[in-house]
Amino acid sequence: MKKELENYSILNKEDFNKFFNTLLGKYNIFGPSKSDKGDKLNKINSADDLMLDYKNFKMSAKEFFFPQCETLLAFDPSTGIVKNRSEDVDAKNDIIFGIRPCDALALSFFDRVFKDGAPQDPYYTEKRHRSTIISLACLEPEPTCFCNAVGCDVDSETGADIILTQLNSRYLIKSVTEKGIEILKHLKTLIPATEDDIKEKDELMAKAKSGLKSNVEVKALKKKLDDFDASFWQTVHQKCLGCGVCTYFCPTCHCFDMTDEVCNNTGRRIRTWDSCMFPLFTLHASGHNPRPSYKERMRQRILHKFNYAQENYNEIFCVGCGRCIINCPVNLDIRKVIQEILEAK
Amino acid sequence: MKNPYLPMLTKIEDIVIENEARDIKTFKLSFIKKEDKENFTFLPGQFAELSILGVGESPIGIASSPTEKDYLLFTVKRAGVVTTRLHRSEIGETIGIRGPLGNTYPLPDMDGKNVLIIGGGFAFTTLRSTVKYILEKKNREKYKNLTVIYGARTPGELIYKNELWEWEKLKELKTYITVDKANGDWQRHVGVVPAILKQVAPTADNTIALVCGPPIMIKYTLLALNELGFKPEQFFLSLEMRMKCGIGKCGRCNIGHKYVCKDGPVFSFAELQKLPPEY
C-alpha cells in the first residue's frame, strides 16, 4: 500500500449499520439524530437514528464537553461539608460521531484553554479524555458558512481523531490520530482505500469549497485590531442589542460564571455560560465597569477572537460556522463587521 | 488530577474592624486540614478566592506574609454580596479558600535594591504582606533601604494602625503615614500620597517601587514617580478586576490578551503601557 493511503479505509454503505453497531457495542455514541432533525448532539441508540445528511447542529458540540450549566461541587448547607461532584462514570467511553469539521476545530481551541493550559480543568479534561471525535466532511456548505476565511475548511482535520467523507456509494474514512487508528483497528467492515477513492474525495471537496462564498480576508485583520482606539469601534457595534446570543451559539466562546445555589437542603456551586456582551460580566462591586457600553463589549468579543487568541494561542478563535449570523436577532453579520474593519481608514 | 475549583476549608480565628467607617475588616483564618496548610505556599502579591458556601466567592489579596506561618490574613471591604456576608461572619465560622492565585510582587528581582512601597486607602493589603516579609530577619539583609508611604483620607480610615505605629519606631524601614484631611491630634503628614511622595523624594537609583491604591492616587503617583526619575520598568502595580475562576479560564478579567488573575495581578508599568487602557 502506498504511504499516503495508509491512514485511509473504505466502508461500503451496505456495511455501515454493521460498522456502526460494532462501535455501539463498545462505546456510547453521540451524534446528529433523526429524532430531533440533527439539531444537536444526541445519544444514538441505533444506526437507524443517525442522521448524516444534516447541514450542521443548531447548537455547537461544545455543550457536550462544556455544558451550559454544570455542577462543580456539592455541599451540605448546614454543615458546610464539601462533596466532590459525584458522577457515575460509565464503563464505556464516548464517540462523538459526525460533528462538522468546524466544531471539531473549535474543540481543539477548547483544549488549549481547558486541557493544555495549567491548571487543567478536570471536568472538561475528563470528558475529553474519554471521547473520540469522528467528524464528517461538509459536502454542501450553508450560505452563512465562512470557514475557509478563518483557517478552517470543509475537510479540516484538526480536533478530529477520524474524519469521514461521504462518497457516492461508500464512506472514505481517515484516521487522523493514534486514538482514531486504535478504534478502527480490527474492524472487519473496513477495506483498503484506493487512489480513485482519494480522487473522488478531492473532487467532492473542491466542489464543496466552491460553495463557500465568503471572501473576507482575516490575515490583514490583526494589524487593524492592534489599534485599540480605532474609530471603527464607534460604528460597528451600533446595531447590536447586547443579547449575547452570538456567544451562546459560538462553538469557541468559553466564558463562564460561577454561582452558588441551595435547593432542597442541597447546595451546589455551578458554572454557567456567560457572555462578554453583558454589562454585568465585568461590573466591579465598587460600581466601576471597565467595559461600560456596547462599544467596549463588542470590541472585547471581536478582539478576544481575532486578536487576543492569536497572541495567546496563535489561533483565531472563530471557525466560520456562521451560527452567530444565523441566530442574531438584528442580522449583525460578523463577516460584514470584519469587512468594515478591514476597509476602515 | 487536582481540582482547582475545590475550596479548602478554614476557620475564622479572629476578626479586626480596621476603620472608622467599619466597612473594612481583617479576617484571620487557619486551615482545618494540616495538608492544606502545608500545600498553601505563596509570596506577597498573590490572592485567593474566599468563599462562603451557598453565597459565592470573592477574590481577595493575601494580607499576611508567608513568614506568618500559622494563619492567613485577609482584609476585606464590604462591597458586594459575598463580602457583605463575610462581614456578618463570626469567629469560629468556616470559610472556603482557593489559592494561592496569580503572580507575586517581583521579590526575587528586588535583591540588592531599595524598595519603595506606596499605598493608599484600603489597598494596602498585599503591600502589608510585602513589608512584613521584608522585615523578617533573614529577608531584610537581601534588600537595601525600605521606604513605606501610606495614606488614607482621614486618620480613622488608615488600616493596620497599631502595626504602622510599630513600624515608625523601627530602624529597618522609613515610614511616612499621611492623611488627606487631619483631625483630632494628628501629628503626622497631611497631604495626598503623591504629594508626600514628592516631598520624601526617594531616589530612583537602584530602586523598585510597588504601588497599590485607588485609581486617582495611582494616576498622580505615576506622574510623581516619573518626575522622580523612575523608569516604567521600575514600578509595579497590583490591579483589581471582576473575577470568577481565578485560573485564566472564565474569560472576564482580561486587559488585552493578559488575564489579571493568571498573568497578574502584579504588572510593571512597562507591561501595562503595552496593554489597552481598559481597567
Side-chain angles (χ1 to χ4, degrees):
Chain A
M1 202 193 299
K2 280 197 174 175
K3 192 127 180 52
E4 58 265 32
L5 285 175
E6 235 174 56
N7 294 327
Y8 286 98
S9 44
I10 282 289
L11 171 67
N12 285 313
K13 280 211 167 139
E14 57 268 25
D15 292 330
F16 184 82
N17 283 12
K18 204 175 155 195
F19 162 81
F20 193 81
N21 289 331
T22 313
L23 291 179
L24 259 183
K26 292 189 212 158
Y27 300 93
N28 291 317
I29 304 186
F30 299 84
S33 73
K34 284 179 186 151
S35 39
D36 79 344
K37 301 194 180 67
D39 263 3
K40 61 178 195 315
L41 267 180
N42 263 352
K43 187 148 198 277
I44 307 286
N45 294 315
S46 84
D48 294 332
D49 193 29
L50 190 68
M51 183 180 179
L52 289 184
D53 57 348
Y54 81 121
K55 288 283 177 69
N56 205 350
F57 296 126
K58 203 182 231 173
M59 294 300 281
S60 80
K62 80 175 174 188
E63 64 177 342
F64 183 83
F65 298 97
F66 177 65
Q68 188 163 355
C69 181
E70 181 169 30
T71 302
L72 296 179
L73 60 96
F75 55 89
D76 185 321
S78 50
T79 63
I81 291 170
V82 179
K83 295 166 267 185
N84 207 342
R85 187 180 68 154
S86 67
E87 196 175 292
D88 304 322
V89 177
D90 203 303
K92 283 183 183 177
N93 280 345
D94 303 325
I95 286 181
I96 311 300
F97 198 100
I99 63 171
R100 293 298 179 187
C102 54
D103 276 7
L105 178 64
L107 274 181
S108 78
F109 300 159
F110 262 74
D111 285 353
R112 303 292 290 274
V113 176
F114 289 106
K115 185 164 76 69
D116 306 339
Q120 269 186 343
D121 184 288
Y123 308 98
Y124 174 86
T125 306
E126 194 258 333
K127 278 176 277 205
R128 198 68 176 87
H129 276 320
R130 43 186 285 116
S131 65
T132 304
I133 309 292
I134 303 184
S135 69
L136 183 66
C138 293
L139 298 178
E140 276 182 274
E142 296 200 77
T144 45
C145 290
F146 63 104
C147 57
N148 59 332
V150 288
C152 183
D153 218 329
V154 290
D155 55 354
S156 173
E157 292 170 0
T158 312
D161 298 299
I162 294 167
I163 182 163
L164 211 73
T165 313
Q166 291 164 291
L167 306 181
N168 284 324
S169 59
R170 57 215 184 285
Y171 295 97
L172 180 69
I173 299 179
K174 185 185 179 191
S175 316
V176 182
T177 64
E178 287 298 322
K179 216 174 183 178
I181 292 170
E182 194 56 37
I183 279 196
L184 297 180
K185 226 196 240 172
H186 314 305
L187 286 181
K188 293 190 180 75
T189 38
L190 301 183
I191 53 173
T194 66
E195 272 175 46
D196 285 345
D197 295 321
I198 309 291
K199 211 175 139 213
E200 187 179 339
K201 180 208 71 163
D202 289 344
E203 282 164 10
L204 283 168
M205 288 302 107
K207 188 167 161 259
K209 282 172 203 191
S210 70
L212 290 164
K213 299 284 182 235
S214 173
N215 52 8
V216 291
E217 184 47 76
V218 297
K219 278 204 190 91
L221 195 59
K222 173 103 174 47
K223 201 157 184 272
K224 286 269 186 179
L225 295 180
D226 282 339
D227 182 3
F228 191 74
D229 296 312
S231 57
F232 52 75
W233 295 121
Q234 302 289 351
T235 52
V236 289
H237 71 88
Q238 283 176 339
K239 233 167 120 178
C240 178
L241 303 174
C243 72
V245 150
C246 46
T247 56
Y248 278 66
F249 280 96
C250 178
T252 75
C253 276
H254 61 80
C255 294
F256 62 86
D257 194 4
M258 285 164 66
T259 42
D260 285 16
E261 61 171 41
V262 178
C263 198
N264 297 329
N265 217 24
T266 306
R268 294 194 301 156
R269 178 158 291 161
I270 53 177
R271 75 160 149 213
T272 45
W273 293 353
D274 205 348
S275 172
C276 59
M277 304 308 283
F278 299 152
L280 277 178
F281 190 65
T282 48
L283 181 67
H284 293 202
S286 66
H288 169 65
N289 193 343
R291 296 186 205 126
S293 79
Y294 291 118
K295 176 191 148 189
E296 292 86 19
R297 299 196 283 270
M298 171 69 104
R299 179 168 62 190
Q300 164 64 18
R301 187 166 80 89
I302 303 290
L303 288 181
H304 189 183
K305 294 191 177 310
F306 295 98
N307 192 345
Y308 305 155
Q310 284 205 63
E311 295 277 353
N312 290 333
Y313 303 109
N314 206 19
E315 304 279 5
I316 294 169
F317 270 20
C318 171
V319 293
C321 71
R323 288 186 180 94
C324 56
I325 305 167
I326 296 169
N327 293 292
C328 179
V330 292
N331 292 321
L332 191 70
D333 188 328
I334 191 146
R335 293 169 297 188
K336 285 191 190 147
V337 172
I338 295 170
Q339 204 58 45
E340 253 180 77
I341 292 174
L342 286 172
E343 284 165 12
K345 290 276 172 339
Chain B
M1 199 186 314
K2 194 173 174 286
N3 187 340
Y5 297 103
L6 282 188
M8 297 169 275
L9 297 184
T10 66
K11 200 176 96 183
I12 303 180
E13 299 284 354
D14 195 17
I15 302 171
V16 175
I17 299 170
E18 294 284 359
N19 63 339
E20 210 168 55
R22 306 176 78 84
D23 63 352
I24 302 170
K25 287 185 178 178
T26 296
F27 297 85
K28 186 177 185 181
L29 308 179
S30 67
F31 285 105
I32 288 172
K33 283 190 192 156
K34 200 171 161 235
E35 74 244 40
D36 288 342
K37 184 184 161 188
E38 281 160 8
N39 291 335
F40 197 95
T41 51
F42 70 100
L43 277 176
Q46 290 190 282
F47 68 99
E49 287 277 357
L50 296 189
S51 72
I52 297 180
L53 295 169
V55 183
E57 292 188 312
S58 195
I60 309 285
I62 305 170
S64 53
S65 156
T67 52
E68 294 167 285
K69 296 272 185 218
D70 294 328
Y71 54 88
L72 293 169
L73 295 176
F74 291 91
T75 303
V76 181
K77 188 178 172 82
R78 192 178 69 227
V81 175
V82 178
T83 52
T84 300
R85 174 63 188 77
L86 245 176
H87 268 242
R88 290 211 308 268
S89 298
E90 310 228 25
I91 292 172
E93 274 189 50
T94 305
I95 301 292
I97 174 172
R98 282 199 295 127
L101 302 169
N103 68 354
T104 73
Y105 286 118
L107 290 157
D109 303 336
M110 286 151 54
D111 258 26
K113 292 188 173 155
N114 302 313
V115 180
L116 171 61
I117 305 251
I118 306 168
F122 123 82
F124 194 59
T125 62
T126 55
L127 293 179
R128 184 248 173 222
S129 169
T130 312
V131 174
K132 198 81 185 159
Y133 177 82
I134 293 176
L135 286 178
E136 177 77 14
K137 212 167 185 181
K138 69 175 184 347
N139 295 331
R140 185 64 194 89
E141 59 203 28
K142 287 189 211 160
Y143 308 97
K144 293 210 159 130
N145 296 335
L146 172 61
T147 309
V148 175
I149 302 173
Y150 170 52
R153 277 171 294 169
T154 61
E157 291 305 302
L158 291 163
I159 61 174
Y160 312 133
K161 279 182 273 286
N162 291 340
E163 214 158 20
L164 297 177
W165 313 150
E166 289 302 314
W167 291 351
E168 283 183 332
K169 293 178 207 152
L170 297 178
K171 58 179 191 318
E172 285 87 352
L173 79 167
K174 281 214 170 90
T175 315
Y176 302 88
I177 308 298
T178 180
V179 292
D180 298 357
K181 195 168 182 296
N183 54 19
D185 54 355
W186 182 256
Q187 296 294 320
R188 297 173 173 87
H189 296 270
V190 179
V192 292
V193 167
I196 302 303
L197 170 64
K198 277 198 241 177
Q199 271 177 34
V200 175
T203 174
D205 194 32
N206 196 31
T207 304
I208 294 284
L210 310 179
V211 186
C212 200
I216 191 72
M217 183 204 98
I218 300 274
K219 187 179 166 186
Y220 289 100
T221 300
L222 297 187
L223 293 175
L225 284 171
N226 189 36
E227 269 178 48
L228 292 168
F230 280 81
K231 296 197 175 63
E233 296 78 23
Q234 275 178 282
F235 50 100
F236 292 79
L237 301 159
S238 178
L239 302 185
E240 278 191 314
M241 203 55 97
R242 184 174 180 143
M243 289 175 192
K244 290 288 173 174
C245 73
I247 50 176
K249 317 271 185 218
C250 82
R252 78 189 59 228
C253 68
N254 68 302
I255 300 172
H257 68 285
K258 299 275 189 197
Y259 284 114
V260 173
C261 71
K262 182 168 70 82
D263 305 308
V266 178
F267 294 93
S268 75
F269 189 58
E271 285 174 282
L272 281 180
Q273 281 177 321
K274 287 186 215 143
L275 297 175
E278 196 177 52
Y279 46 89

